Amino acid sequence: MESVTWGNPLSFSIFNSHSRHLTQYKFMAFSTLQTFPVPSFSFTFSSSSSSSSSHLKPSSSFPKPTTLLHNSRPLRSFPRAMHVSSIQDAIGGAISLVQSSPATWHSALFSNAMIFLLGSPILVTGLSLSGIVAAFLLGTLTWRAFGPPGFFLVAVYFVIGTAATKVKMAQKVAQGVAEKRRGRRGPGSVIGSSAAGCICAFLTIFGVGGETFSRLWRLGFVASFCTKLSDTVSSEIGKAYGKTTYLVTTFKVVPRGTEGAVSVEGTLAGIVASVVLAFISFLVGEVGSHEAIICVLAAQIANLGESVIGAALQEKEGFKWLNNDAVNVINILMGSIIAVFMQQALQIWCS
């Protein structure tokens, strides 16, 4: 007799009555997502060589349901792939936004926000909270007008200026010549230091004068920060290391920190600072080689004029409004205007 048995899991065995040899084939169906136990049934088909009749009879045993795959977990490869793809798309979009050329307001806001977030530990050392807000507006405007090179220029100005302000801070505080809040600049100082640069940025954004004047606005922007950095470094280094300070109008020896006073050490440091910033501007393509030289010369002329104004008018009767922030505005405006006029005069002379 030959007997064939079906059971669950889907399996069958063939018994040969002559050889009593067992060959078992098992076919197992399962899901990697979840296993559902299926009730087990068994039926035996019996046939006899002496009879052509066959009949179906149930088996006496019912195997217990079994779980075919233990500790099975849902597949996550497809959702993970989608998640990774979304992150890659977001990063690619952010990079494209930062690299927008020409810069847009969206790229300026996004780039400035990311840089301010990453650079916040440095910003808080040189700016008050309200000063950071003012600097953020300045940075956004700068990126929109002059792109990453212009923003980088302002960042270099901030780092060098802050470092110079912190030099021998304890000594400056003891002598009463340190900046307010131990050198942490407020919004008045930020706006005063960047007024000319902001004007040049707006003129560039609105295309005033077209392509003919766009190069001049960029030159005025660079010259304004060269002027301000030279002024800041010369003042701070002079207060820290100046052996003798002279009043620029009379050459009378005066104490350190006197308005309108200059020192050899401070003056040399200011010239070096303006040269460094002008050279960086040339490297990033903001100005040409001769324009970089113009920025340095204009910065020194403007700083000399600022010292004269400080010595002759600042804190004098009728000029109480002429505080440091107002003098800063006048100083950097002079630097920008002088640079633009020098460039125009050079073009006329060369032509």
Side-chain angles (χ1 to χ4, degrees), residues 50-63:
S50 61
S51 174
S52 60
S53 64
S54 62
H55 58 276
L56 175 68
K57 63 179 181 178
S59 175
S60 60
S61 61
F62 290 86

Side-chain angles (χ1 to χ4, degrees), residues 2-349:
E2 188 177 272
S3 176
V4 181
T5 302
W6 277 274
N8 184 56
L10 296 177
S11 63
F12 67 87
S13 300
I14 301 176
F15 296 89
N16 191 302
S17 59
H18 299 285
S19 62
R20 300 182 180 275
H21 177 71
L22 170 64
T23 304
Q24 186 177 28
Y25 302 89
K26 293 186 178 180
F27 300 86
M28 305 187 69
F30 59 90
S31 168
T32 56
L33 295 176
Q34 188 172 357
T35 301
F36 298 92
V38 181
S40 177
F41 298 95
S42 178
F43 297 93
T44 302
F45 290 89
S46 298
S47 63
S48 176
S49 60
S50 61
S51 174
S52 60
S53 64
S54 62
H55 58 276
L56 175 68
K57 63 179 181 178
S59 175
S60 60
S61 61
F62 290 86
K64 293 182 180 181
T66 58
T67 301
L68 302 179
L69 184 63
H70 296 284
N71 298 325
S72 58
R73 295 180 180 177
L75 284 177
R76 299 183 182 272
S77 58
F78 186 67
R80 281 180 182 172
M82 292 182 63
H83 185 60
V84 171
S85 178
S86 299
I87 294 176
Q88 291 175 343
D89 291 342
I91 294 174
I95 293 175
S96 299
L97 188 63
V98 171
Q99 294 177 340
S100 298
S101 181
T104 63
W105 285 113
H106 289 92
S107 66
L109 283 169
F110 177 79
S111 304
N112 202 32
M114 292 298 99
I115 293 172
F116 266 62
L117 182 63
L118 296 174
S120 56
I122 299 176
L123 290 172
V124 296
T125 63
L127 296 170
S128 64
L129 180 59
S130 55
I132 291 176
V133 174
F136 181 82
L137 298 177
L138 168 64
T140 303
L141 180 63
T142 300
W143 192 291
R144 173 62 182 84
F146 304 111
F151 187 94
F152 179 72
L153 182 69
V154 176
V156 172
Y157 154 78
F158 173 76
V159 171
I160 297 177
T162 301
T165 303
K166 299 297 183 182
V167 172
K168 290 194 173 183
M169 178 57 70
Q171 172 186 307
K172 295 174 185 176
V173 171
Q175 294 175 350
V177 296
E179 292 291 328
K180 297 177 182 178
R181 297 181 294 272
R182 300 181 69 88
R184 295 180 69 216
R185 315 273 178 175
S189 179
V190 173
I191 296 172
S193 301
S194 62
C198 290
I199 293 173
C200 293
F202 278 118
L203 291 173
T204 300
I205 292 171
F206 292 106
V208 177
E211 289 295 327
T212 304
F213 286 86
S214 62
R215 192 73 185 177
L216 290 177
W217 308 146
R218 193 176 295 269
L219 173 64
F221 172 80
V222 174
S224 70
F225 283 98
C226 286
T227 302
K228 183 51 190 169
L229 182 62
S230 180
D231 175 54
T232 299
V233 172
S234 62
S235 175
E236 296 299 332
I237 297 302
K239 288 186 288 188
Y241 296 103
K243 295 179 179 179
T244 306
T245 52
Y246 305 90
L247 199 62
V248 72
T249 53
T250 63
F251 290 100
K252 179 183 177 181
V253 177
V254 292
R256 292 177 182 176
T258 302
E259 296 297 338
V262 296
S263 66
V264 174
E265 295 83 0
T267 301
L268 291 176
I271 294 173
V272 171
S274 64
V275 169
V276 169
L277 196 61
F279 181 66
I280 292 174
S281 301
F282 166 70
L283 290 179
V284 299
E286 284 295 282
V287 295
S289 57
H290 73 280
E291 292 173 327
I293 297 173
I294 287 175
C295 288
V296 174
L297 294 176
Q300 304 317 308
I301 296 171
N303 284 337
L304 178 61
E306 186 258 357
S307 297
V308 172
I309 292 173
L313 302 176
Q314 196 170 357
E315 297 181 353
K316 299 297 190 296
E317 189 66 30
F319 292 93
K320 296 297 183 182
W321 57 270
L322 198 62
N323 56 20
N324 284 336
D325 293 336
V327 172
N328 283 337
V329 173
I330 296 172
N331 180 29
I332 61 176
L333 280 173
M334 286 194 300
S336 294
I337 293 171
I338 292 171
V340 169
F341 277 122
M342 288 178 69
Q343 172 67 8
Q344 287 293 84
L346 183 62
Q347 288 179 346
I348 293 172
W349 183 72

